[in-house]
Structures are given as C-alpha cells and as structure tokens.
Amino acid sequence: PPPEIAGGIGQDLDIAPDGAVWATTGRGAFRFDPATKGWDRFSSVNPFDGATYGVAADADSNGWWTQFNANRVGKADPRTGMTYEVLLRPPWLREQEDTRTAEDKAFYESIGALVEGGDGGINMVPGAMAPRRMGADKSGEFLYVASFNGENVTRINTRTRETKYYRTPIQSHPY
C-alpha cells in the first residue's frame, strides 16, 4: 500500500522501463519500486495550487507529471532525487498576452489564475495551457504533452528539457 498521504494517488499510472510504477499525487508524483516494495515521493519545484494530472515514465525511467493549473510539467530523476520543471510557453503566447488590458491582468491575478501560490485552480484565462495527458517514448528521448487550453501538443526532450510546440490544425482541446 502507498504511504499515508493527503490527496492519495492520482488516477494515472505509467510503468517505467526499470519496472517502477509512477503515479501522480498532490504537489508531485510517487514512484513505487516493486523490487523493494518502497515508495519515493517527488515534489513539484513550484507546487502552485498542488494540482497534478497526467503522468509518464521516460526511456531513462524518470517520472513526469503535468501541473494542470500552472502551465508546467514536472520531472523527477530517481537516481539523483532531483526534481525539475518545464514551463510551457509557446512562442505565439506573447500575442495572446498582448491582448490583455492592465485591468484583465489585475483581475486574473486577484483570482489566483496562473499565479504562484494562487489557490484559484483556474486555467481558463488567456495564456493558459492546461497540460493534461502525456506519453513518453520508452526507447527514445521525447515526451509529448497535450495542452488542453493551449490547443497544441508539446514535445519535450527528456534529457535536455528543450520544448517544441505543434499547434492543432483545427480549434480543439487536445486531451
């Protein structure tokens, strides 16, 4: 059984090439090692409201999770115990941000949208990516993330964390 934690284990699981099981939890992810029957917890670098969503294990057996309300993807390296984050910011995002007035920006901040420490859990504002499901190539170096509100799929190099964005060809919410 998992350790006693607030929030429990999320709905998504993925199996790493080394046999470990990765699962989301509030503010990060868990790794279960079936050989030792031990659990390791990895925390998001910037937890924001703590909401996580999708999870994936890459070819190097690292764990990845999305931060649905924070435009971020977390990464955990079980060999070093380190966690990292990738900020999702496609190049066309500046165009959307330029359409917001000072009043818009003040309002979004007041409700906690995309603000560190914000408890609004809101990701339906201009510029929100709302990353959800993801999948990793178990024999390569890429992770793909569906940005539900961002209308794109993000490709992340699992070793360098370099990102590339692919807009959907029609207005949609990739899941």
Side-chain angles (χ1 to χ4, degrees), residues 57-161:
D58 67 23
D60 298 321
S61 296
N62 297 306
W64 294 80
W65 61 92
T66 59
Q67 290 179 258
F68 186 64
N69 294 324
N71 289 358
R72 284 168 167 71
V73 175
K75 175 188 178 181
D77 181 339
R79 287 165 298 288
T80 65
M82 298 290 296
T83 57
Y84 307 90
E85 71 178 11
V86 176
L87 176 62
L88 302 182
R89 190 163 174 76
W92 62 83
L93 189 58
R94 182 162 307 285
E95 296 167 15
Q96 292 178 359
E97 290 173 339
D98 288 345
T99 65
R100 297 184 294 183
T101 67
E103 292 82 15
D104 292 337
K105 292 174 186 176
F107 173 71
Y108 298 147
E109 187 171 325
S110 76
I111 62 174
L114 303 176
V115 176
E116 186 169 353
D119 58 3
I122 298 168
N123 58 14
M124 300 296 285
V125 298
M129 295 292 105
R132 283 191 158 184
R133 305 278 189 203
M134 58 173 44
D137 182 345
K138 299 294 192 263
S139 60
E141 59 187 43
F142 295 111
L143 171 82
Y144 294 89
V145 181
S147 291
F148 187 74
N149 290 340
E151 296 184 347
N152 71 82
V153 174
T154 305
R155 183 183 78 181
I156 301 173
N157 183 302
T158 58
R159 295 179 181 132
T160 66
R161 298 190 304 275

Side-chain angles (χ1 to χ4, degrees), residues 25-28 41 44 46-53 65-70 118-119:
T25 188
R27 304 187 185 282
R41 182 173 185 168
S44 300
N46 293 298
F48 288 81
D49 68 348
T52 59
Y53 202 88
W65 61 92
T66 59
Q67 290 179 258
F68 186 64
N69 294 324
D119 58 3

